[in-house]
Amino acid sequence: LANATFVILVRNHELPAIIKSLKQMEYSFNHQYHYPYVFLNDEPFTDEFKEWTSNVVSSKVEYGVIPHDHWYQPDHIDEDKARANRDAMVRNGVIYGGSVSYRNMCRFNSGFFFRHNLLQKYRYYWRVEPGVEFFCDVDEDPFVFLQENNKVYGFTISMYEYESTVQTLWETTKEFIKENPQYVANDNALGFLSDDADGESYNLCHFWSNFEIADMDFWRSEAYMKYFEYLDSKGGFYYERWGDAPVHSIGVGLFARKDQIHFFKPIGYRHEPFQHCPQGDIHRKGKCWCDQRDNFDYQP
């Protein structure tokens, strides 16, 4: 086994939805491997939540509260400016445009979850969310796969971000790179992030980060930590609505080699409204129960 855990950010009222995710994770994968689970929340979990969740899994569980400074909007944010921008997003119909708690979550997932004291002892993680589905038998241990092949990031779905949520993210990233060129990896995945040879603009591509199997030591690295702190100082998590998906994708796309990023093709997965359903022989081999016609992959 690898040094790994599941990481689940969830609220008490989401108990029925997370039970569904846990049952499918256990059935498809973890009944064989018994990796531990770490549940995180910005308030304490109830006894009922702990009893139910610990009862449906086959391994150790731990429950943690997120430190205040890792979750709430930091003091350096100008709330009047942030509120005006939220209101404008609501008027323009931007999804989660008016939500502060959604922004807290994006910032937490971008730069803090891997710093939680319950996660310090682990290197690899698999992010699981309430109400997701896992469609296939996962017989090969993805954590061991990452470790043995020196991969740092694994995904199942990639897509475009809403441009209105990340208007200055790429410009801010370019400023950081200009000041810190030493962090950019040779043979990186810039070609995934930009359609320009020189990386002038962001094409909005990102890995859909509600599913991630990745190496927390990459997020803990000097390059990514400095990058996150730079982004955080600029306030875009609150003045705009920078998501952890584009932030993680840009971070791994620039600071890791492209051969360290892996598409977990055999892992069937759904997070409403999209799913990755393995095709053909992989579908048969994995005993998958998703409809192959409903698949969000690029099909040349």
Side-chain angles (χ1 to χ4, degrees):
L1 294 181
N3 176 17
T5 182
F6 299 99
V7 175
I8 302 178
L9 182 63
V10 60
R11 296 182 185 278
N12 287 304
H13 71 81
E14 295 173 304
L15 179 58
I18 199 61
I19 292 293
K20 176 183 169 187
S21 303
L22 293 171
K23 287 294 286 184
Q24 291 194 26
M25 175 59 79
E26 285 291 319
Y27 179 79
S28 63
F29 171 68
N30 204 43
H31 71 280
Q32 300 179 73
Y33 292 97
H34 311 299
Y35 280 106
Y37 292 83
V38 173
F39 296 87
L40 299 175
N41 191 351
D42 63 315
E43 54 188 40
F45 286 107
T46 62
D47 289 342
E48 180 192 24
F49 185 97
K50 292 178 180 178
E51 184 181 348
W52 267 54
T53 49
S54 61
N55 193 41
V56 297
V57 300
S58 61
S59 54
K60 185 178 88 166
V61 291
E62 291 186 283
Y63 302 90
V65 175
I66 297 166
H68 183 279
D69 291 352
H70 291 186
W71 186 260
Y72 289 100
Q73 179 173 304
D75 294 340
H76 69 80
I77 298 297
D78 177 343
E79 172 54 21
D80 291 340
K81 176 181 172 182
R83 186 186 303 112
N85 290 354
R86 290 197 303 270
D87 292 348
M89 282 194 177
V90 171
R91 287 195 300 275
N92 292 326
V94 176
I95 188 168
Y96 303 118
S99 172
V100 177
S101 66
Y102 187 84
R103 289 170 169 83
N104 291 342
M105 179 194 74
C106 290
R107 176 174 174 263
F108 174 75
N109 280 328
S110 294
F112 291 102
F113 81 92
F114 50 87
R115 303 192 224 183
H116 195 281
N117 60 359
L118 290 181
L119 293 173
Q120 293 311 301
K121 56 185 173 284
Y122 298 114
R123 177 168 177 184
Y124 297 99
Y125 71 98
W126 186 334
R127 176 169 157 186
V128 179
E129 298 213 345
V132 297
E133 296 188 88
F134 298 98
F135 296 120
C136 310
D137 293 351
V138 181
D139 293 323
E140 183 184 12
D141 185 332
F143 299 124
V144 170
F145 176 85
L146 290 189
Q147 183 173 285
E148 290 183 346
N149 294 280
N150 191 26
K151 309 279 188 189
V152 297
Y153 192 85
F155 69 99
T156 54
I157 294 174
S158 60
M159 61 177 65
Y160 293 111
E161 182 56 293
Y162 297 101
E163 188 168 12
S164 56
T165 67
V166 290
Q167 288 181 335
T168 65
L169 176 58
W170 192 249
E171 290 304 315
T172 308
T173 299
K174 288 195 293 184
E175 289 167 19
F176 175 79
I177 295 304
K178 195 172 173 185
E179 294 175 24
N180 301 278
Q182 72 276 16
Y183 293 138
V184 178
N186 293 324
D187 201 26
N188 59 42
L190 178 63
F192 173 72
L193 302 168
S194 176
D195 298 333
D196 314 315
D198 61 353
E200 178 59 29
S201 63
Y202 179 36
N203 61 16
L204 304 175
C205 280
H206 66 283
F207 306 117
W208 211 25
S209 61
N210 48 70
F211 175 106
E212 292 182 319
I213 305 176
D215 182 349
M216 285 186 281
D217 283 355
F218 177 80
W219 307 131
R220 294 164 180 149
S221 70
E222 181 179 318
Y224 183 78
M225 286 293 292
K226 286 275 199 319
Y227 175 60
F228 171 75
E229 286 160 9
Y230 189 85
L231 295 182
D232 201 29
S233 73
K234 299 296 182 182
F237 290 105
Y238 293 96
Y239 299 139
E240 297 178 24
R241 205 216 69 198
W242 293 351
D244 52 277
V247 171
H248 276 187
S249 302
I250 293 170
V252 79
L254 295 179
F255 310 134
R257 299 189 315 274
K258 62 178 178 236
D259 67 7
Q260 294 181 288
I261 302 170
H262 184 68
F263 174 34
F264 277 109
K265 198 180 281 188
I267 301 180
Y269 173 73
R270 181 177 186 87
H271 179 298
E272 292 294 338
F274 302 115
Q275 72 183 34
H276 162 63
C277 186
Q279 304 289 294
D281 286 345
I282 303 177
H283 192 277
R284 280 190 293 278
K285 185 168 175 252
K287 300 184 174 63
C288 304
W289 50 278
C290 49
D291 181 349
Q292 294 182 65
R293 291 166 297 188
D294 183 358
N295 182 39
F296 196 72
D297 297 359
Y298 169 64
Q299 296 294 335

